[in-house]
């Protein structure tokens, strides 16, 4: 089978021919139809992600496909079932083996591309806003990186939870994508002073930050007393440093959200969130925004779209069978 395989953190991954893996006990073998790309894939290539597997490995964190084989002891799934899986790796390949407990049946109406773009982006934003920050109707939510893979879902979910949403992104084209997702107010990070613009709108009760760097600092300074600030990621490449005395003065709370971590210490929170999200999809209340769909042999072009911030929403790699 073909797979985008990484053998060194000093050189790019290559499309390689590998044996088709066979499932062991508790696992399923999946014919992969689509794989969603994530910023974490870029960090894994550099060996900088918190869950980077040991070399060599195949990239690709979340997939959608069809169950082909079952390992010993697997129940509740059958060959032919269409599933979405967060495997954390091994997704950019024609076949993959994953723990059966990580497989979720897709709604009948869901395409493979939508399913591959769904779990991490929507799961991150839903757990962050609903479970961690306890976003309330009528509160003001500021989303940094609002046209990106997770940021755009934060705009959607923030509106579904009843918040007033301020979307911050770079350029008119990206801001229009955020507006279409439901944003009430738009801030152009290229040309506007984020702090001044947010304060002019009354400040933020919750900040959703997947960017870090100077944008975090500006958002921090525009937060209302008792605001909750969610650190989701650092697409700017700069991890912000927080002065504890500033937290004290404004009674602020800063909280981290690593979606994949819930699989190890509180999986029921993650699975319950996904059940809610898949239900919303089936009801037509949410739908992934996918700016690019590329074939497997152009997967590195997709990675570059993420690195250069040239995409909006998600980039998905289609793997035809």
């Amino acid at each position: 089978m073909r797979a985008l395989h990484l053998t060194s953190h000093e050189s790019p991954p290559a499309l390689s021919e590998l044996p088709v893996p066979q499932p062991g006990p508790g696992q399923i073998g999946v014919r992969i139809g689509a794989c969603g790309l994530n910023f974490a894939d870029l960090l894994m290539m550099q060996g900088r992600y918190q869950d980077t597997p040991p070399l060599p490995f195949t990239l690709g964190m979340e997939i959608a496909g069809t169950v082909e084989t079952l390992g010993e002891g697997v129940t509740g799934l059958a060959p032919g079932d269409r599933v979405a899986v967060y495997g954390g790796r091994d997704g950019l390949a024609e076949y993959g083996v994953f723990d059966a407990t990580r497989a979720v049946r897709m709604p009948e109406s869901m395409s493979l591309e939508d399913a591959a773009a769904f779990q991490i982006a929507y799961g991150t934003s839903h757990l962050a806003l609903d479970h961690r920050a306890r976003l309330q109707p009528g509160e003001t939510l500021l989303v940094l990186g609002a046209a990106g893979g997770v940021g755009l879902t934060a705009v959607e979910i923030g509106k579904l939870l009843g918040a007033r949403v301020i979307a911050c992104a770079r350029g008119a084209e990206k801001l229009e994508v955020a507006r279409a997702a439901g944003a009430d107010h738009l801030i152009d990070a290229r040309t506007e002073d984020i702090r001044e613009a947010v304060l002019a709108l009354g400040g933020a009760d919750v900040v959703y930050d997947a960017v870090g760097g100077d944008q975090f600092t500006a958002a921090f300074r525009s937060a209302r007393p008792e605001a909750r600030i969610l650190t989701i990621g650092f697409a700017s490449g700069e991890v912000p440093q927080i002065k504890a005395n500033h937290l004290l003065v404004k009674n602020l709370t800063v909280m981290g959200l690593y979606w994949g971590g819930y699989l190890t210490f509180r999986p029921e929170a993650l699975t319950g969130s996904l059940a809610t999200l898949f239900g919303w999809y089936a009801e037509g209340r949410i739908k992934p925004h996918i700016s690019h769909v590329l074939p497997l042999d152009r997967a590195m072009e997709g990675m570059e779209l993420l690195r250069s911030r040239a995409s909006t929403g998600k980039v998905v790699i289609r793997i035809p069978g």
Side-chain angles (χ1 to χ4, degrees):
M1 69 170 190
R2 296 185 304 159
L4 193 68
H5 208 54
L6 185 71
T7 58
S8 168
H9 294 306
E10 283 69 50
S11 57
L15 199 57
S16 307
E17 286 288 337
L18 300 177
V20 175
Q22 299 301 313
Q27 295 181 322
I28 55 173
V30 179
R31 176 65 177 92
I32 299 172
C35 178
L37 300 188
N38 293 276
F39 192 78
D41 291 309
L42 298 175
L43 298 178
M44 282 190 188
M45 287 164 57
Q46 301 166 6
R48 295 172 51 210
Y49 190 59
Q50 60 261 26
D51 275 347
T52 299
L55 293 168
F57 67 93
T58 295
L59 290 159
M61 301 180 71
E62 57 181 333
I63 65 100
T66 304
V67 176
E68 287 212 339
T69 53
L70 303 177
E72 181 183 351
V74 174
T75 60
L77 291 169
D81 284 348
R82 297 167 72 245
V83 293
V85 183
Y86 169 73
R89 54 174 288 180
D90 295 336
L92 286 168
E94 293 175 325
Y95 295 89
V97 163
F98 307 98
D99 288 346
T101 55
R102 295 195 174 198
V104 181
R105 280 199 187 87
M106 298 158 44
E108 291 288 334
S109 60
M110 184 175 260
S111 69
L112 291 173
E113 289 80 10
D114 277 1
F118 193 84
Q119 291 191 87
I120 294 176
Y122 279 108
T124 295
S125 292
H126 186 252
L127 271 184
L129 295 174
D130 187 53
H131 174 69
R132 292 288 280 146
R134 306 291 184 187
L135 181 66
Q136 299 299 306
E139 288 191 313
T140 296
L141 167 67
L142 170 62
V143 180
L144 304 180
V150 292
L152 198 58
T153 63
V155 173
E156 282 188 273
I157 290 172
K159 288 301 295 181
L160 282 172
L161 295 176
R164 181 180 70 143
V165 178
I166 304 171
C168 181
R170 296 172 63 84
E173 183 179 350
K174 291 188 174 184
L175 287 171
E176 176 56 28
V177 171
R179 186 204 62 76
D184 299 290
H185 303 280
L186 307 175
I187 298 173
D188 191 333
R190 285 179 175 171
T191 60
E192 296 184 68
D193 184 311
I194 296 172
R195 174 178 176 269
E196 293 299 326
V198 175
L199 288 175
L201 293 168
D205 297 298
V206 174
V207 175
Y208 183 101
D209 177 25
V211 178
D214 291 341
Q215 290 195 31
F216 173 91
T217 302
F220 188 95
R221 296 177 65 203
S222 67
R224 291 174 176 170
E226 293 194 327
R228 291 89 76 201
I229 300 173
L230 292 155
T231 58
I232 306 298
F234 312 105
S236 68
E238 182 181 341
V239 179
Q241 303 301 304
I242 302 167
K243 293 183 177 180
N245 60 317
H246 292 185
L247 297 176
L248 180 152
V249 170
K250 293 180 72 174
N251 293 288
L252 300 178
T253 300
V254 178
M255 54 188 73
L257 192 287
Y258 168 41
W259 183 78
Y262 278 84
L263 286 168
T264 60
F265 70 87
R266 196 173 173 187
E268 71 279 3
L270 188 148
T271 54
S273 170
L274 284 176
T276 296
L277 291 165
F278 277 116
W280 284 352
Y281 180 95
E283 294 166 4
R285 301 176 72 187
I286 55 175
K287 182 175 174 58
H289 173 88
I290 301 171
S291 65
H292 296 79
V293 177
L294 301 170
L296 182 58
D297 59 6
R298 295 175 61 191
M300 289 306 293
E301 292 181 38
M303 297 289 191
E304 177 58 22
L305 289 168
L306 294 187
R307 190 200 64 77
S308 64
R309 303 191 205 179
S311 60
T312 56
K314 293 286 284 190
V315 176
V316 172
I317 302 303
R318 181 184 289 133
I319 307 171

